[in-house]
Amino acid sequence: MDARSAPGKLPRTYWAHPVEPLKLLAADSARIREESHLQRVSRYADPYLARRSAGQKHPVEDFLFTYYTQKPGQLKRWHPGGGAVLTGDPATERLGWKHYRTLDDGELASLGLAAGSTAVTFDRRAFLADRKDAVAFAGIILRGTEARPAQFGCFGLHEWAMVYRQDKFELRHEYLQLRLGAAGTDKVVEDNRIRCTHFDAFRFYTPDAIPLNEHSPSRESQRHMEQPGCLHANMDLYKWAYKLLPALSSELVMDCFELSWRIRAMDMQASPYDLADWGYPAIPIETTHGKAAYVEHQRTFAAEAGVLRGRLAVELEGIAAGAPR
């Protein structure tokens, strides 16, 4: 039985340590990729850093930097991914970076490099020694999510459940207004089925909203409940990707980041908050046409996430078993 046929288990051979094939990446190519990556990240990170310096907040565009643990400076660091060999200045810069190693003389010779040359690559053994459990859990989540049918009937009501009866619990969002007011927001929650499957959304529900949810997701049940229609499960592809750095290329991590960025925008457009002045017009999920629009976006994101989830799963197998990428 292989890993894909048993989402909750990993095969005994999963943690084999064969020699990983190495491929020389020219210094010029490395620099071009690094500069391109920095420009790509800066488009999102620099405005956030400027706002933070000025003591300002953005309800949509700060999220990926405040909710997730990857900081802008970490995201700006470019990694070529497992198997790539760097030489010259790119190699020298990474000599002190965690989970990189220098090549031995035999490896240098196999690549046509002189003995004693400075060349570095991803240190898979050290990475797995430190991150074995994280790699295993990421694999379980990715494969389990991929194996389940997508559900498209939640309509983003998790965000509404987070402010249900907010006056009772003295919840305040100092710079955001509820589009329908407190009473109107509560009515939407009460008039609809609440069926969130994602624990990291469910855990922010108000106490009165918790029993209204048709599911009771928990950290323990996460591996059994994540499903590919969930916006937050698809946003979390970014989390699983950056947790696997530097085994993955930064380009793949940014593909996940940018999908997560777009999902966050739509998630907040469907939320109870009035974000029109922030440039995010509402998707009114309390209406029939709003629900239809939400599901259309949700299906599009699920398809995109499916592709990225597949890419991550292939990379994950390579990290754990040394398979060529």
Side-chain angles (χ1 to χ4, degrees):
M1 181 178 292
D2 63 25
R4 289 184 181 276
S5 62
K9 296 181 180 180
L10 297 173
R12 183 174 298 176
T13 58
Y14 198 76
W15 303 113
H17 288 255
V19 175
E20 188 170 34
L22 300 177
K23 183 177 180 179
L24 184 63
L25 182 59
D28 288 347
S29 296
R31 281 301 184 202
I32 290 171
R33 286 177 59 183
E34 185 171 25
E35 290 171 4
S36 177
H37 173 71
L38 181 59
Q39 292 175 4
R40 191 177 180 186
V41 176
S42 294
R43 173 187 171 193
Y44 304 97
D46 288 357
Y48 163 72
L49 292 171
R51 286 192 298 272
R52 189 177 70 177
S53 179
Q56 299 171 348
K57 296 180 180 179
H58 195 293
V60 180
E61 297 173 10
D62 289 352
F63 182 78
L64 267 62
F65 298 111
T66 56
Y67 177 75
Y68 293 111
T69 58
Q70 182 84 334
K71 302 306 179 187
Q74 295 171 311
L75 188 59
K76 285 183 176 182
R77 279 192 168 190
W78 174 73
H79 302 280
V85 174
L86 299 175
T87 59
D89 290 342
T92 302
E93 291 170 2
R94 287 161 177 77
L95 286 175
W97 289 17
K98 192 172 184 179
H99 298 137
Y100 279 85
R101 66 173 179 85
T102 56
L103 273 62
D104 61 34
D105 285 346
E107 291 171 323
L108 292 171
S110 72
L111 295 171
L113 299 173
S117 298
T118 300
V120 303
T121 192
F122 167 62
D123 189 341
R124 190 170 64 86
R125 289 178 182 271
F127 181 81
L128 287 178
D130 291 341
R131 307 297 306 279
K132 181 176 178 179
D133 290 345
V135 171
F137 189 65
I140 289 168
I141 293 295
L142 291 172
R143 289 174 180 80
T145 303
E146 181 183 43
R148 296 185 190 97
Q151 301 175 31
F152 298 106
C154 68
F155 306 121
L157 286 160
H158 56 274
E159 291 288 344
W160 299 68
M162 294 177 193
V163 293
Y164 180 59
R165 295 181 178 173
Q166 70 164 11
D167 291 340
K168 174 181 176 180
F169 299 104
E170 298 183 351
L171 298 177
R172 292 294 182 268
H173 301 271
E174 67 272 18
Y175 62 104
L176 296 178
Q177 298 295 319
L178 295 176
R179 185 166 52 82
L180 303 180
T185 299
D186 292 349
K187 187 173 188 303
V188 171
V189 174
E190 292 161 358
D191 288 349
N192 287 272
R193 296 173 63 187
I194 315 297
R195 39 192 162 182
C196 180
T197 58
H198 190 72
F199 172 68
D200 283 316
F202 178 71
R203 67 191 177 96
F204 291 107
Y205 278 26
T206 63
D208 283 2
I210 289 174
L212 301 180
N213 203 66
E214 293 184 0
H215 307 285
S216 298
S218 66
R219 185 64 71 204
E220 292 71 26
S221 67
Q222 181 180 11
R223 66 187 63 200
H224 305 297
M225 295 193 70
E226 295 284 88
Q227 48 87 16
C230 173
L231 291 187
H232 280 261
N234 293 332
M235 287 179 65
D236 279 353
L237 289 177
Y238 167 58
K239 175 177 69 175
W240 304 122
Y242 75 70
K243 285 181 177 293
L244 297 174
L245 284 170
L248 302 185
S249 73
S250 289
E251 288 87 350
L252 177 52
V253 174
M254 279 305 295
D255 287 347
C256 295
F257 176 96
E258 289 179 340
L259 174 62
S260 186
W261 181 277
R262 290 185 288 115
I263 292 176
R264 168 64 177 178
M266 195 278 275
D267 192 35
M268 291 302 286
Q269 285 180 271
S271 77
Y273 304 112
D274 185 353
L275 300 174
D277 289 344
W278 297 87
Y280 292 89
I283 297 175
I285 58 90
E286 70 276 12
T287 68
T288 300
H289 77 271
K291 285 182 170 66
Y294 184 91
V295 171
E296 182 178 358
H297 287 297
Q298 192 177 24
R299 289 184 180 277
T300 298
F301 288 137
E304 292 184 53
V307 174
L308 287 176
R309 190 173 287 111
R311 289 172 62 190
L312 287 172
V314 169
E315 291 287 340
L316 195 63
E317 290 172 359
I319 295 165
R325 288 164 174 76

